[in-house]
Amino acid sequence: EGDIMESNLKREIILEHYQNPRNRGLIDDDGYIKINMNNESCIDEVNLMVKIENGKITDIRFDGEACAMCISSSSIMVETLTGKTIDEVKEILQNFLNMIDEKKYNPEILEEAIVYDDTYRQPNRKKCVLLSWWGIEKILNNLENK
């Protein structure tokens, strides 16, 4: 089973999102849900701001001190999840987590997040890639438990 995407292209996409991250920088707006995520095994610390309106994620912003994998993954997550309904986000999230854990997943719905499909080869990078996605998961879980 070959890689879905050629590795040079993957590296290019990751680098592009690291150098030009989407929606990096927080804003002062009480309409966003905020969460702080940190990764004790790396320098990664990310602050996320998520705006949810009418059952859709309409905006995600992030900032923080983090490694290239973490920044690029956060940026790709912003692009992948913005504009999606909560149900769609949950499905993408579950498939992304499955991919990182080498479980069965649907590559069709992951969009550019598919670039991390070989992260399992570097177990120490998993947390870096997952940090912001876990943040979104926490936010959604908190919403349900309210």
Side-chain angles (χ1 to χ4, degrees), residues 15-58:
L15 192 62
E16 156 63 22
H17 278 273
Y18 172 57
Q19 290 171 335
N20 304 295
R22 316 299 187 256
N23 285 9
R24 185 167 187 179
L26 305 179
I27 53 174
D28 190 16
D29 184 334
D30 292 337
Y32 285 71
I33 301 165
K34 301 178 182 73
I35 194 167
N36 172 269
M37 299 295 290
N38 56 28
N39 175 1
E40 59 290 340
S41 60
C42 189
I43 58 157
D44 301 334
E45 182 176 2
V46 173
N47 289 297
L48 288 171
M49 292 178 71
V50 180
K51 191 162 202 171
I52 298 174
E53 296 172 294
N54 304 324
K56 257 189 187 163
I57 290 188
T58 54

Side-chain angles (χ1 to χ4, degrees), residues 7 30-31 42 58 64 69 73 88-89 92 112 115 134-136 144:
S7 59
D30 292 337
C42 189
T58 54
M69 288 298 268
S73 179
E88 287 170 328
V89 168
I92 293 168
E112 278 194 327
V115 297
W134 281 335
I136 297 288
E144 285 185 356

